């Protein structure tokens, strides 16, 4: 997962190819039936903290939030408590099958090619999920907020440091980062010109 994380983000050579996408899809399809065992009150509290403190610090528009790599949807309800609409995107049909039908709209898609127009999202949430920098930059609105959560901090299989995250996004970003329990998170947005 570390290699795939870095290739998706453009940090390592190879990039996000059709072959890698198929491997990742198959990998998570196989894990889907047990994925609920990876949720816990502690992990939920990390996401709740990121939303509570991170979002309030960023003061975003509260229109559409896009949760990329939403898995079985354990955190979608938390996002829907803040945003008017939540679109939860995942590559794995087996993960999506196990997610609740609401309150988020569930979409089978690749986070590298989101079915959204430019600037459509008030926020993008990546909770233990791959960063596709160009797609995040394209889909976020001018004041849009990127929420990045690693539930097991640096031990998270899909982990990037905040410095790596910002470097790959390019341009000028501002925000806050914090630790919560075993996790770490950051909430950032582009600096206004
Ligand atoms: C580590 S799991 C995290 C799931 C959930 N966010 C959580 O924290 O429990 C990563 C999720 O991202 C999905 N995923 C992997 N590559 C993706 C891609 N290119 N586009 C959308 N989802 C992807 C996987 O299918 C999986 O459900």
């Amino acid at each position: 997962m570390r290699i795939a994380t870095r290739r998706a983000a453009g940090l390592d050579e190879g990039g996000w190819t059709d072959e890698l996408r198929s491997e990742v899809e198959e990998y998570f399809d196989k894990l889907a039936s047990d994925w609920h065992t990876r949720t816990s009150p502690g992990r939920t509290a990390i996401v709740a903290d990121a939303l509570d403190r991170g979002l309030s610090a960023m003061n975003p528009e509260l229109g559409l939030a896009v949760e990329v790599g939403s898995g079985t949807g354990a955190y979608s309800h938390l996002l829907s408590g803040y945003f008017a609409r939540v679109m939860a995107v995942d590559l794995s049909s087996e993960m999506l099958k196990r997610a609740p039908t609401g309150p988020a709209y569930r979409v089978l898609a690749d986070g590298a090619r989101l079915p959204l127009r430019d600037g459509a999202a008030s926020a993008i949430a990546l909770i233990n999920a791959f960063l596709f920098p160009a797609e995040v930059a394209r889909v976020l609105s001018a004041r849009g907020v990127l929420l990045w959560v690693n539930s097991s901090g640096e031990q998270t299989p899909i982990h990037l440091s905040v410095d790596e995250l910002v470097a790959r996004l390019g341009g000028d970003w501002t925000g806050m980062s914090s630790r919560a329990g075993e996790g770490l998170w950051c909430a950032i947005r582009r600096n206004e010109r």
Side-chain angles (χ1 to χ4, degrees):
M1 272 307 112
R2 281 289 164 104
I3 293 168
T5 303
R6 297 184 70 80
R7 281 180 56 175
L11 281 159
D12 282 356
E13 280 178 18
W16 185 249
T17 58
D18 289 347
E19 191 186 358
L20 181 57
R21 183 175 55 240
S22 297
E23 278 175 33
V24 167
E25 181 184 346
E26 195 182 330
Y27 177 82
F28 282 108
D29 273 350
K30 283 185 183 147
L31 291 180
S33 59
D34 289 336
W35 198 259
H36 64 281
T37 63
R38 303 189 186 213
T39 59
S40 69
R43 286 174 163 240
T44 301
I46 295 164
V47 180
D49 186 55
L51 286 165
D52 180 24
R53 293 194 294 131
L55 278 188
S56 58
M58 293 291 99
N59 190 26
E61 299 146 354
L62 298 173
L64 173 69
V66 183
E67 183 188 6
V68 180
S70 52
T72 51
Y75 308 115
S76 307
H77 69 286
L78 292 177
L79 286 161
S80 70
Y82 289 84
F83 294 91
R85 295 174 307 286
V86 178
M87 180 173 143
V89 176
D90 206 284
L91 187 64
S92 159
S93 56
E94 293 300 322
M95 287 284 190
L96 285 171
K97 267 186 215 166
R98 289 163 174 84
T101 50
Y105 300 99
R106 306 270 161 206
V107 177
L108 181 66
D110 182 352
R113 280 183 239 157
L114 292 168
L116 286 164
R117 64 176 168 76
D118 297 358
S122 303
I124 295 181
L126 300 176
I127 304 167
N128 309 308
F130 295 130
L131 169 72
F132 296 100
E135 201 57 350
V136 166
R138 184 185 73 76
V139 168
L140 267 186
S141 68
R143 288 189 51 224
V145 172
L146 173 62
L147 203 66
W148 173 259
V149 180
N150 281 172
S151 298
S152 302
E154 288 81 357
Q155 306 310 315
T156 308
I158 301 179
H159 166 73
L160 295 175
S161 70
V162 175
D163 285 348
E164 287 172 322
L165 184 79
V166 171
R168 286 309 301 151
L169 287 166
D172 198 12
W173 293 73
T174 191
M176 71 179 287
S177 64
S178 184
R179 290 188 180 270
E182 292 180 359
L184 60 81
W185 58 258
C186 76
I188 57 174
R189 71 166 140 76
R190 293 181 187 96
N191 272 326
E192 291 176 55
R193 296 201 181 109

